[in-house]
Amino acid sequence: MDPITIGTAIGTTLITSFATMGGSEPIKTLIDIWYLAFGRLQLFSDQKRAKHEAFLESYINELVQEISAILEENLIEPPLSIVGPALEASQYYFEEDSLRSMFAKLVSSSMDSSKSNYVHHSFVEIIKNLSSLDAQNMSLFKTEEFRPLA
């Protein structure tokens, strides 16, 4: 017999015997132990799930903003070889604003005929290897405050 099935049967038998004993203290103790062991974990996972959904919604909003900014005549079907890996990889970077933004810009640029020639497949891997600080530092390159040494 399967160990999980045996454990389930034993647990069910114990709970049933506690429930039929008439005293509620053993049941209360069992419920308290259950809450201490798993209740906090449930609370933590609920909080994490809510946070993840909020970051996902932010990412979707960013994607919609970036794509809606593309002129209608420049809108093209993006190459799956760029969009697929970008969307797949971006799910692990929702919580980092600068990286999430970079993925959104990569996806939208691949849909813009005026920018699609500048989009490369390796950009997905490059973004995946950046930290948030790296991404923020890279954004300084496009500002007027940055002046390269030359």
Side-chain angles (χ1 to χ4, degrees):
M1 220 178 185
D2 177 22
I4 295 174
T5 306
I6 294 170
T8 304
I10 292 171
T12 304
T13 305
L14 283 173
I15 291 172
T16 304
S17 66
F18 278 134
T20 57
M21 284 174 36
S24 64
E25 286 306 312
I27 295 293
K28 185 176 179 334
T29 302
L30 183 62
I31 290 171
D32 289 345
I33 291 171
W34 182 268
Y35 176 75
L36 287 174
F38 300 109
R40 292 182 192 174
L41 183 63
Q42 179 67 37
L43 179 63
F44 175 75
S45 67
D46 288 345
Q47 289 172 341
K48 191 70 172 168
R49 191 174 295 115
K51 233 181 189 179
H52 181 77
E53 288 174 9
F55 286 126
L56 176 61
E57 192 168 323
S58 294
Y59 182 55
I60 291 170
N61 289 337
E62 263 184 84
L63 275 172
V64 168
Q65 270 185 328
E66 292 289 334
I67 293 169
S68 63
I70 301 172
L71 296 174
E72 182 112 11
E73 61 268 7
N74 291 345
L75 198 59
I76 60 171
E77 185 174 334
L80 188 58
S81 59
I82 293 176
V83 173
L87 292 175
E88 175 81 26
S90 65
Q91 69 181 326
Y92 303 108
Y93 299 92
F94 288 155
E95 297 178 4
E96 301 174 51
D97 293 340
S98 51
L99 296 176
R100 183 179 65 227
S101 176
M102 290 178 94
F103 276 113
K105 288 180 188 301
L106 177 62
V107 170
S108 68
S109 293
S110 71
M111 298 176 76
D112 187 344
S113 63
S114 67
K115 297 178 183 176
S116 64
N117 290 334
Y118 303 109
V119 177
H120 195 274
H121 298 83
S122 65
F123 290 172
V124 174
E125 294 302 317
I126 292 170
I127 296 171
K128 283 171 46 177
N129 286 303
L130 295 176
S131 70
S132 288
L133 181 60
D134 295 335
Q136 291 168 1
N137 288 337
M138 284 183 68
S139 70
L140 293 175
F141 293 144
K142 66 180 181 180
T143 64
E144 297 210 13
E145 295 172 17
F146 175 76
R147 296 210 178 7
L149 300 174

